[in-house]
Amino acid sequence: CTFILFNAHHDGMSLFQALFALRWPGNGACQSLFVRLIRRERETCRKVTTCSLLNATQPLIPTLPRYKSEAYFEKLQVLPNVHVHATSNNTICTITDSKGKVLGWASAGTVGFKKARRGTGFAAQVVGVATAKKTLGFGIKKVNVKVKGFTQGRTGVLQGLTKGGLAITAITDCTPISWGGCRPRKVRRV
């Protein structure tokens, strides 16, 4: 641990970068060793600025999130969601906030497509643009997208959302898949 810290210090890395290289505060042995090093440096010198390991601009022990992925996941939870339900007959987009409250929705039928044209990829793209306009009306610029369904409306909606001016941070596939599932109906004889 000391070898890594001193090498990091001599290579020009900041204390923050050196601690992150040690996976602070996950590595307990390095953490206790580093605290002992700080105490020894404090005893030998009066001012923190003259210490060999620390600069005056950096905090003594930085506060970091335990894991980078946890902080990133917390950021994703705050963003609103766009739920896409793509079936062979229609494509429905619903905007919700992070708690699940519905802010608005659009479908291929409300946009103006009739009958079989509602299930096309172009109709889904128009639905994505309409959803993006409604979302921008709330002042939202970044969203998470949750997609359900196997049809061509999946990609069309994503293209429409990006054309409408939204930044997509995460795409989640929420298509329910039955492992076995219910017994299918009998085969139709013609």
Side-chain angles (χ1 to χ4, degrees):
C1 292
T2 53
F3 180 73
I4 294 171
L5 267 177
F6 284 114
N7 276 356
H9 178 65
H10 290 299
D11 289 343
M13 288 176 68
S14 66
L15 176 66
F16 185 82
Q17 292 168 335
L19 286 176
F20 190 73
L22 291 174
R23 299 290 188 266
W24 178 277
N27 197 336
C30 290
Q31 180 181 358
S32 60
L33 181 67
F34 184 70
V35 170
R36 277 187 268 141
L37 279 171
I38 290 175
R39 286 182 186 153
R40 192 178 305 150
E41 287 284 335
R42 274 188 177 171
E43 291 169 4
T44 56
C45 56
R46 297 282 179 183
K47 293 182 180 178
V48 180
T49 54
T50 58
C51 293
S52 61
L53 280 177
L54 300 175
N55 294 330
T57 57
Q58 296 171 342
L60 190 62
I61 297 176
T63 56
L64 294 174
R66 190 163 180 86
Y67 300 105
K68 186 178 178 184
S69 59
E70 282 182 11
Y72 185 66
F73 184 70
E74 287 173 5
K75 286 180 187 176
L76 288 183
Q77 292 289 67
V78 175
L79 290 176
N81 297 320
V82 175
H83 299 271
V84 178
H85 185 67
T87 63
S88 57
N89 295 324
N90 204 352
T91 303
I92 304 168
C93 263
T94 309
I95 313 157
T96 62
D97 60 359
S98 58
K99 295 178 182 177
K101 182 182 173 186
V102 176
L103 303 176
W105 61 278
S107 69
T110 58
V111 172
F113 291 93
K114 301 289 182 186
K115 298 191 178 181
R117 293 187 63 198
R118 290 181 302 180
T120 60
F122 178 70
Q125 190 171 347
V126 174
V127 168
V129 172
T131 308
K133 284 182 182 177
K134 287 186 181 180
T135 308
L136 291 172
F138 290 108
I140 299 168
K141 296 180 181 177
K142 292 183 179 181
V143 291
N144 299 328
V145 179
K146 296 185 177 182
V147 183
K148 185 189 286 186
F150 290 113
T151 60
Q152 55 190 345
R154 295 167 58 115
T155 55
V157 168
L158 296 176
Q159 290 171 358
L161 289 173
T162 52
K163 281 185 180 180
L166 286 179
I168 299 172
T169 56
I171 301 170
T172 309
D173 188 13
C174 300
T175 306
I177 300 172
S178 61
W179 301 93
C182 301
R183 178 177 171 169
R185 58 182 296 175
K186 63 179 182 177
V187 180
R188 183 167 168 257
R189 291 193 294 267
V190 180

